[in-house]
Amino acid sequence: MTRHPVLLFVPLDDRPVTCDMVVELAEAAGAEVRTPDRALLGDRDRPGDVRGIWEWLEAAARRGDGAALIASAEMLCLGGLVASRKSEAEFEEIAPLLERLVALAARLPVYVSAVIPRTPVVPTDEDAPYWAAYGDALRSITAGAEGPQPSVPEALDVVLQAADLPDPVREAVRRQRGRHLRINARLIAAAASGAIRYLLIGQDDTAPGSLSQIEREALQALVDQLAASGVMLTSGADELNARLLARWLNDLTGRRPSVRALYTFPWRSDGVPLYEAQPLNRTVAEHVASAGCVPGGDDPEIVLWVHNFEDRQREAQDQHEAPSLQGLEPLLRAVRAAVREDRVVALADVRFANGGDRELVTRLLDEPRFAGIVAYAGWNTCSNALGSAISQAVVACHLRAYTLPGDDRRYRLALFRRLLEDWGYQSVVRPLLTRWIIDQGGRSAELGEHEAEAERRALEGMRDVVLPPLQRSYRYHPIDVQQVIFPWHRLFEVRIALQMPATSRGRQQIVVVDYDPDWPRRYEEERAAIVQTLGPLLRGIEHVGSTAVPGLAAKPIIDIMVGVAADDLDGVIEPLAVLGYEYGPDWEISMPLRRYFRRLAPDGSHTHHLHVVPYGEEFWTRHLRFRDYLRTHPEAVRAYGDLKKRLAATRRESIDYTFAKTEFILSTEAEAGVVHRR
């Protein structure tokens, strides 16, 4: 466990999904994230300021600001992903930057992402100029019958020599892609030596047998030759740093969450998605391993629902051509069972490329809290969605295990953002905007004079069409879409400004006082009112927490645990509101099977905390055993009281105060015979 570790982060570029998503997830895990000024990151048309970013990074390292660094090689060396596709810089110009990275890695753990350049299906102005004129010839390049020699960069030379290309084009391809091969080879060598903690090299958009697949095979041969265990070659690009974040969190805490994959169409788990070069199930296994997780058996911590395609993957904008989902109920029952068992359920929505499945998400939003699913992604390529969903799930897993001082509220904001962007915008609003801008004679890839009106229409669509079903599912978690902007001045990328209004009024100052003999009476008085109010819903009620232990110093707040049937958890919300209890839904990522309530005094201070949980299950028995152990062990009471007084004097935030007690609580629970399921 560690308290608010500081992460230095150099993103792939300035897009919300490559920069903001990683920051939001890291902060939800309790990390302090420091990134270069956004102006240094460049944009679609302007490369990042490589010199300025290095100055920022090395200054931060000299000050000892970071516990670790997650960085994109494309930004550190070439100014970002788009810049790396078009840059004509030679490897010799880049090599000194790689040496600076190795030197930096001697000061702090470094996690690096790098990209194998894409083989574009449809070249754009983001690609090197030769793709527009010779794309067909370049895409037809495949390994010969004997295959290229498994070495770097000779593998590229072998296939280029046999290609039907003019010499200047052949040389331009060799220079650009050969430079990337050499960059990645140097990074592999650094990771093999232990200088780089972990290196994740992803294939940008590609296809079986393509140039990028040939390059991946050559790099993999080098990894095998050097026995570089801290390197993985994988599909994907934009989500690589999110996966590195998950791996860093697992390294930091010494945990390896177990993951079991469920497929919507298991008989097609070996299908090859659009923009990728290998079967889906192989990609899933790679993503799980790269995030620092392990395959799960019958008792996984994370259930990864991979909503895959049955015949072939289509674009999200063409999903009306796909057959309607049938026979989904058995899978939904398995998902609901996993939720009841307190497993983290993540949904990688990859049935379509570049957007979520409208039919599936709408069905899930008909259930409370999105059917209990706490991680979701469905953006861009299959790998982008997979890596994002797994990374969210890892953060949620740490929140439930109390291994990091995370923040459920920030995590929920990240989850809502993925639902709103991947399903709401990409699959619902964007198709409408595309038709509108075509009718105006404009282009979705270059908004120009239509940008302001497109933003207005996007905001209107998000508020009128997308937000209502989300709010019906999350009725206790109000959220507002404040603004929609297009940061790269086209419809594909979107930045959505969200606001989550506070769900509670009171803010409790951390004050620990000596034991008050009047606390049991206050509990009994409140107990009678709760029993009368809940009636047959109630299966058990107990005084828990520190005020339930004679002689123990505590915050002067009466903690009460109420046991009900699992299906009745939401049924107590309205009756308890009548009794004067304020429902606080913010902690249901880390404690999904608890409903938490507070009674407030007129001055806003808390007088009672109420924890409604399934009767007789883990939360119930664990808290009773902890209480009863303290009641019979006065030395533990003294130690716990002293600890709480020290923490109250040094911790201003309740999250920090609570997290700092975790080690004592877990060790005491172990003494009391509590066995955590994981």
Side-chain angles (χ1 to χ4, degrees):
M1 300 181 199
T2 186
R3 181 188 177 199
H4 295 302
V6 176
L7 175 66
L8 303 179
F9 174 45
V10 178
L12 181 63
D13 50 39
D14 72 328
R15 285 174 293 164
V17 287
T18 57
C19 181
D20 302 344
M21 181 180 72
V22 178
V23 171
E24 197 162 52
L25 275 179
E27 290 178 343
E32 296 180 18
V33 187
R34 297 177 188 172
T35 62
D37 188 279
R38 192 175 288 273
L40 294 175
L41 300 179
D43 53 36
R44 178 187 177 191
D45 302 313
R46 178 174 55 89
D49 182 348
V50 173
R51 177 180 295 181
I53 289 169
W54 271 104
E55 289 175 354
W56 170 84
L57 181 55
E58 290 179 328
R62 283 194 300 271
R63 292 191 301 268
D65 283 355
L69 165 67
I70 294 175
S72 162
E74 275 62 39
M75 181 59 77
L76 287 177
C77 295
L78 296 159
L81 182 63
V82 173
S84 74
R85 293 171 180 166
K86 298 191 289 187
S87 171
E88 296 185 359
E90 300 286 351
F91 174 75
E92 287 70 23
E93 300 173 56
I94 304 302
L97 298 177
L98 298 175
E99 298 312 312
R100 290 170 76 176
L101 182 60
V102 170
L104 187 70
R107 297 185 177 185
L108 76 170
V110 170
Y111 297 73
V112 178
S113 66
V115 171
I116 298 171
R118 73 178 182 177
T119 303
V121 175
V122 179
T124 70
D125 60 1
E126 293 180 8
D127 295 292
Y130 52 72
W131 280 106
Y134 296 95
D136 290 342
L138 287 164
R139 282 188 294 275
S140 69
I141 291 176
T142 59
E146 299 297 325
Q149 294 297 316
S151 58
V152 181
E154 289 82 1
L156 182 62
D157 291 336
V158 170
V159 294
L160 286 177
Q161 286 296 337
D164 183 18
L165 294 168
D167 287 343
V169 173
R170 184 181 292 109
E171 182 55 34
V173 176
R174 179 184 289 112
R175 183 173 60 249
Q176 188 218 24
R177 300 189 75 94
R179 175 200 65 209
H180 252 77
L181 272 171
R182 294 178 70 184
I183 290 172
N184 288 336
R186 179 66 186 93
L187 291 170
I188 289 170
S193 72
I196 292 175
R197 179 68 59 89
Y198 196 77
L199 172 64
L200 191 56
I201 301 177
Q203 283 180 285
D204 203 353
D205 298 352
T206 187
S210 64
L211 273 174
S212 59
Q213 185 66 8
I214 293 166
E215 292 161 6
R216 172 174 174 169
E217 291 169 1
L219 290 168
Q220 185 63 57
L222 178 61
V223 170
D224 296 341
Q225 175 189 339
L226 297 177
S229 59
V231 179
M232 176 170 281
L233 284 104
T234 178
S235 300
D238 294 352
E239 86 301 338
L240 294 176
N241 288 330
R243 286 197 261 163
L244 288 178
L245 170 67
R247 187 171 194 94
W248 172 60
L249 294 174
N250 287 332
D251 287 350
L252 189 67
T253 58
R255 290 179 62 85
R256 291 287 179 263
S258 55
V259 182
R260 184 179 70 197
L262 298 177
Y263 292 89
T264 301
F265 304 108
W267 56 90
R268 285 293 285 136
S269 65
D270 60 351
V272 178
L274 292 173
Y275 313 110
E276 299 195 1
Q278 64 180 22
L280 172 60
N281 50 16
R282 178 179 169 186
T283 298
V284 170
E286 289 176 353
H287 279 52
V288 168
S290 67
C293 300
V294 297
D298 295 333
D299 189 25
E301 293 172 79
I302 296 170
V303 172
L304 175 64
W305 176 6
V306 183
H307 181 53
N308 59 323
F309 43 93
E310 186 173 15
D311 51 355
R312 62 184 177 84
Q313 193 182 37
R314 295 172 169 85
E315 293 284 349
Q317 297 204 76
D318 301 325
Q319 59 185 279
H320 58 277
E321 300 173 3
S324 180
L325 289 171
Q326 302 292 331
L328 202 59
E329 191 54 38
L331 182 57
L332 289 175
R333 284 198 295 270
V335 167
R336 295 185 192 109
V339 170
R340 287 194 300 272
E341 293 164 356
D342 200 15
R343 306 185 198 279
V344 172
V345 179
L347 172 55
D349 188 356
V350 299
R351 188 182 181 203
F352 303 104
N354 294 309
D357 184 340
R358 287 195 295 264
E359 182 179 357
L360 175 69
V361 174
T362 300
R363 184 180 301 188
L364 293 172
L365 288 176
D366 283 339
E367 302 191 27
R369 299 173 181 83
F370 199 47
I373 296 166
V374 296
Y376 173 84
W379 61 282
N380 285 23
T381 69
C382 176
S383 280
N384 296 154
L386 270 172
S388 301
I390 292 170
S391 302
Q392 291 171 59
V394 167
V395 174
C397 201
H398 284 290
L399 290 175
R400 293 194 185 178
Y402 311 110
T403 48
L404 289 166
D407 186 332
D408 279 37
R409 187 176 174 81
R410 289 186 180 181
Y411 179 90
R412 194 177 298 282
L413 190 63
L415 170 61
F416 284 174
R417 195 179 304 282
R418 293 272 55 82
L419 280 165
L420 290 169
E421 292 184 12
D422 303 355
W423 158 71
Y425 174 74
Q426 296 292 354
S427 293
V428 178
V429 173
R430 183 179 161 216
L432 301 175
L433 287 177
T434 300
R435 289 195 290 272
W436 169 78
I437 201 164
I438 290 173
D439 289 344
Q440 305 307 305
R443 296 172 55 237
S444 62
E446 199 65 60
L447 294 175
E449 62 181 351
H450 302 292
E451 185 165 345
E453 178 62 14
E455 290 177 348
R456 189 194 69 77
R457 287 174 175 266
L459 179 60
E460 183 179 82
M462 295 297 291
R463 285 178 168 172
D464 294 348
V465 180
V466 173
L467 199 55
L470 181 73
Q471 285 289 217
R472 284 195 296 271
S473 185
Y474 291 98
R475 58 178 297 195
Y476 301 110
H477 300 83
I479 190 168
D480 179 44
V481 179
Q482 295 181 302
Q483 186 182 32
V484 177
I485 63 174
F486 301 111
W488 279 15
H489 312 296
R490 61 186 184 185
L491 292 183
F492 192 60
E493 293 87 9
V494 65
R495 177 175 286 119
I496 300 176
L498 303 178
Q499 183 179 41
M500 289 179 61
T503 55
S504 61
R505 295 177 290 110
R507 184 177 182 85
Q508 181 70 19
Q509 183 181 0
I510 299 171
V511 176
V512 173
V513 300
D514 290 333
Y515 179 77
D516 186 343
D518 191 49
W519 287 338
R521 182 198 60 78
R522 289 175 55 196
Y523 159 71
E524 290 294 342
E525 184 178 73
E526 199 66 19
R527 177 186 182 281
I530 293 169
V531 169
Q532 182 177 6
T533 298
L534 296 184
L537 290 175
L538 187 71
R539 293 196 175 183
I541 184 167
E542 295 281 349
H543 187 191
V544 294
S546 296
T547 61
V549 179
L552 179 57
K555 292 187 293 183
I557 302 168
I558 307 301
D559 279 290
I560 302 172
M561 185 167 65
V562 168
V564 299
D567 291 341
D568 290 334
L569 286 173
D570 285 342
V572 304
I573 294 174
E574 292 183 8
L576 288 173
V578 174
L579 193 58
Y581 276 95
E582 176 189 81
Y583 174 45
D586 285 344
W587 293 271
E588 289 169 14
I589 298 296
S590 55
M591 289 178 279
L593 301 180
R594 181 192 74 158
R595 301 294 176 263
Y596 173 64
F597 302 82
R598 291 165 287 200
R599 182 190 281 281
L600 305 180
D603 63 0
S605 63
H606 300 192
T607 62
H608 299 75
H609 288 172
L610 196 59
H611 313 267
V612 181
V613 300
Y615 177 74
E617 296 191 13
E618 183 179 349
F619 191 105
W620 180 270
T621 58
R622 178 163 56 90
H623 281 72
L624 290 184
R625 287 187 178 182
F626 180 74
R627 179 200 67 185
D628 293 345
Y629 180 89
L630 290 177
R631 283 177 171 178
T632 57
H633 290 78
E635 71 284 357
V637 169
R638 285 191 296 272
Y640 193 28
D642 291 344
L643 172 65
K644 295 205 300 178
K645 288 181 178 179
R646 289 197 305 272
L647 294 177
T650 58
R651 303 296 199 273
R652 294 186 177 181
E653 294 291 334
S654 60
I655 290 175
D656 290 344
Y657 173 78
T658 301
F659 179 75
K661 297 188 300 178
T662 301
E663 186 172 352
F664 178 91
I665 291 171
L666 291 176
S667 63
T668 303
E669 286 180 343
E671 291 290 330
V674 172
V675 178
H676 289 268
R677 195 158 57 87
R678 56 181 61 90

